[in-house]
Amino acid sequence: MSNDTEPAPRSALVDEIASQIRARIMSGEIAIGAQLRQAELANELGVSRTPIREALRQLQTSGLIEVVPNRGAVVRVPVPWEVREAYQVRAQLEGFATELAVKRISDAEIATLREANETMREATVHPPALQPGEEPPTTTANDVFHTTIHQASGNQRLARTINEINETFPRNVSWLVLRDDQRHREQNVREHERILEAIVAGDGERARREMVEHVVGAGEHLARWYERRSATVFVG
Amino acid sequence: MSNDTEPAPRSALVDEIASQIRARIMSGEIAIGAQLRQAELANELGVSRTPIREALRQLQTSGLIEVVPNRGAVVRVPVPWEVREAYQVRAQLEGFATELAVKRISDAEIATLREANETMREATVHPPALQPGEEPPTTTANDVFHTTIHQASGNQRLARTINEINETFPRNVSWLVLRDDQRHREQNVREHERILEAIVAGDGERARREMVEHVVGAGEHLARWYERRSATVFVG
DNA sequence: CATCCCTAAGATGGATCCATTCTTGCTACG
DNA sequence: CGTAGCAAGAATGGATCCATCTTAGGGATG
């Protein structure tokens, strides 16, 4: 996901620009609520404002930024109830993906899931020191776990839809949520293991239930983080 | 000092343009597979190419059109398996919406559902003559039925996600699917009535199941239409 | 001293310009 | 007669221009 040495069909410049801006928002390099000035982005990315404007339109329709006419674009600041809503939806989709995956998953994919959980457990027990802005290994392993299930579901549209929801919320917030909450991290690992257990057992119904619960729980944690944040902002 | 004295949120011109182009595709005025030439659209809509280009980027990310670098945009031609995938996802979401709706639906909304079904039944028994490109009353009533349930679910993100999926496929195709299949129309009415029955009975689980089945079935019909179409194209 | 207004700077948004690429049709050659 | 190649036309895509809207700052006034 980091290298694009694609000899294949020449990706459009605009899509590349959009990806870069999205990455900056996802990593927290551009904070939520921050203004996105076209001229500034154009300078930094070494292009004119035209492709920037088209890229911003893409990010607008994907819901990551908000564009107010004649006043420019800002990174959307999620409201807690929006987070809960989105994760309710995501939970259903992930649950469905898990149920589908149970019927089609390969041994290799199961091995990948085991490995991801192992990495997560390891990083949870011995949390490594991180540079600011660096992605924690738990988050990476978490992504591998979920993405593998999406793939195993065999439904590309399902994977895409889940992805669209995830890309509405900056990823670095999820890092922060996990960083200060050892108990949440441990719970995460346990839930992943229970899900994997159900998958291996071939119990689609149970796997689905566990996954739904897992995602809703994660959404609740995320929503609470945004609640605390807005409280802070209003007070201080 | 809390003045959000916004009388009109003044929608951006680009969004308006995008809506118009989307509407033309949805109604079939612009056929699937057709080229979208920027200069032509600019002329017809009375603007320059700049807002057209931004609007096309929006439609691109929403998946309705495909933009090939240096070769322009075409209306995406859905492949049958894509339709099945999308409707599998939509079915889960609509099912979930129905389950949520059972707990929150108001009497007024139930009345709306009844009315929509009545309209559908009426139009199914006595199919009116239509101008080409005119939306059949069954389709309109069908939309009212589903949209009302989305609203009643109380989850805006859920409604939006379902909408995003629907807007991937031109609506006029759904008209064609229904137009020549009296049996399908009748089945549609029956299924709607069974769903409404379960909702009124307060049986969320059953309502969900009925809705999932209903949507999957609709997807199957749609997918088969695209199958027949591609066969025709390849032969003729 | 606070408030209102007015002006100037900055940013967005539509229009236009031009280089590059793709397409198409004609021609020449096998 | 078919195919490869080339040249002209057309369309896209990035850059630039300019009008309009927004906002910040300063000065006048009550």
Side-chain angles (χ1 to χ4, degrees):
Chain A
M1 310 263 281
S2 52
N3 264 351
D4 37 0
T5 49
E6 306 276 299
R10 189 163 18 133
S11 64
L13 174 62
V14 173
D15 294 327
E16 179 60 27
I17 302 269
S19 286
Q20 295 209 15
I21 299 175
R22 187 186 301 113
R24 288 195 188 189
I25 296 172
M26 283 292 161
S27 71
E29 183 186 332
I30 302 178
I32 57 179
Q35 281 266 344
L36 295 167
R37 270 180 287 274
Q38 298 174 359
E40 193 176 334
L41 291 169
N43 262 342
E44 293 175 10
L45 297 177
V47 295
S48 82
R49 277 176 51 217
T50 307
I52 300 286
R53 282 165 62 176
E54 293 183 24
L56 291 181
R57 290 297 175 190
Q58 290 188 332
L59 298 178
Q60 177 193 20
T61 56
S62 73
L64 185 58
I65 69 174
E66 195 167 359
V67 178
V68 183
N70 288 320
R71 257 192 282 179
V74 299
V75 181
R76 248 181 83 80
V77 180
V79 177
W81 65 263
E82 288 176 341
V83 178
R84 289 196 176 87
E85 279 195 355
Y87 270 72
Q88 287 269 334
V89 175
R90 190 191 142 190
Q92 292 298 315
L93 295 172
E94 294 255 16
F96 182 50
T98 309
E99 191 174 2
L100 291 179
V102 166
K103 304 182 202 156
R104 314 174 77 261
I105 196 164
S106 69
D107 291 346
E109 285 167 332
I110 286 182
T112 303
L113 293 181
R114 282 221 166 83
E115 200 180 325
N117 279 357
E118 202 48 51
T119 304
M120 258 185 90
R121 170 171 289 282
E122 183 60 26
T124 294
V125 177
H126 306 291
L130 297 174
Q131 312 263 337
E134 186 185 350
E135 172 148 327
T138 54
T139 310
T140 311
N142 187 72
D143 274 11
V144 170
F145 185 84
H146 285 276
T147 305
T148 301
I149 291 177
H150 305 162
Q151 297 306 322
S153 80
N155 187 323
Q156 294 180 25
R157 179 68 183 231
L158 178 54
R160 176 184 142 192
T161 306
I162 294 170
N163 216 42
E164 284 172 357
I165 293 178
N166 284 339
E167 285 184 347
T168 307
F169 307 102
R171 284 170 51 79
N172 76 310
V173 172
S174 303
W175 310 345
L176 298 176
V177 169
L178 284 168
R179 171 174 303 246
D180 302 325
D181 192 342
Q182 171 76 6
R183 213 174 127 276
H184 181 204
R185 273 190 309 234
E186 287 168 359
Q187 182 186 347
N188 239 359
V189 174
R190 273 200 310 276
E191 289 176 353
H192 272 206
E193 280 169 354
R194 293 177 61 146
I195 293 167
L196 177 52
E197 212 175 281
I199 291 176
V200 172
D203 189 342
E205 186 50 45
R206 193 177 111 219
R208 177 186 184 131
R209 232 181 316 117
E210 301 273 9
M211 178 60 93
V212 170
E213 210 175 318
H214 170 60
V215 174
V216 169
E220 190 54 34
H221 276 272
L222 193 59
R224 278 208 273 266
W225 187 90
Y226 279 106
E227 272 170 1
R228 285 196 302 276
R229 178 187 179 279
S230 55
T232 307
V233 169
F234 280 128
V235 171
Chain B
M1 288 270 297
S2 58
N3 16 346
D4 287 22
T5 51
E6 308 272 305
R10 187 163 22 131
S11 64
L13 174 61
V14 172
D15 294 326
E16 180 58 28
I17 302 270
S19 287
Q20 296 210 15
I21 299 175
R22 186 186 302 113
R24 288 195 187 188
I25 296 172
M26 283 293 161
S27 71
E29 182 185 332
I30 302 178
I32 59 179
Q35 282 266 345
L36 296 167
R37 271 181 285 276
Q38 298 175 359
E40 191 176 336
L41 291 170
N43 262 342
E44 294 175 9
L45 298 177
V47 296
S48 83
R49 277 177 51 219
T50 307
I52 299 287
R53 282 164 63 176
E54 293 182 23
L56 291 181
R57 290 297 175 193
Q58 290 188 333
L59 298 178
Q60 176 193 22
T61 54
S62 72
L64 185 58
I65 70 175
E66 195 167 0
V67 177
V68 183
N70 288 319
R71 255 191 283 177
V74 298
V75 181
R76 250 182 81 80
V77 180
V79 178
W81 65 261
E82 287 176 340
V83 178
R84 289 195 176 87
E85 279 195 354
Y87 270 72
Q88 288 267 332
V89 176
R90 190 192 142 189
Q92 292 297 315
L93 295 173
E94 295 253 17
F96 182 49
T98 309
E99 192 175 1
L100 291 179
V102 166
K103 304 181 202 157
R104 314 175 76 262
I105 196 164
S106 68
D107 290 346
E109 285 166 332
I110 286 183
T112 303
L113 293 181
R114 282 222 166 84
E115 199 181 325
N117 278 358
E118 202 48 52
T119 305
M120 258 185 89
R121 171 172 288 283
E122 183 59 26
T124 294
V125 177
H126 306 291
L130 297 174
Q131 311 265 337
E134 186 186 350
E135 173 149 325
T138 56
T139 311
T140 311
N142 186 73
D143 275 10
V144 170
F145 185 84
H146 285 275
T147 304
T148 300
I149 291 177
H150 304 163
Q151 297 307 322
S153 79
N155 187 323
Q156 295 180 24
R157 179 68 182 232
L158 179 54
R160 175 184 144 192
T161 306
I162 294 170
N163 216 41
E164 284 172 357
I165 293 178
N166 284 340
E167 286 185 344
T168 307
F169 307 103
R171 285 171 49 81
N172 76 311
V173 172
S174 302
W175 310 345
L176 297 175
V177 169
L178 284 169
R179 171 175 301 249
D180 301 325
D181 193 341
Q182 170 76 7
R183 215 176 125 274
H184 181 205
R185 272 190 308 233
E186 287 168 359
Q187 182 186 346
N188 240 0
V189 174
R190 273 200 311 276
E191 289 176 353
H192 271 207
E193 280 170 354
R194 294 178 61 145
I195 292 167
L196 177 52
E197 212 175 283
I199 291 176
V200 172
D203 189 342
E205 187 52 45
R206 193 177 111 219
R208 177 187 185 130
R209 231 182 316 117
E210 302 273 8
M211 177 60 92
V212 170
E213 210 175 318
H214 170 60
V215 174
V216 170
E220 189 56 34
H221 277 272
L222 193 59
R224 277 209 273 267
W225 186 90
Y226 280 106
E227 272 171 1
R228 285 198 301 276
R229 179 185 178 280
S230 55
T232 308
V233 169
F234 281 129
V235 170

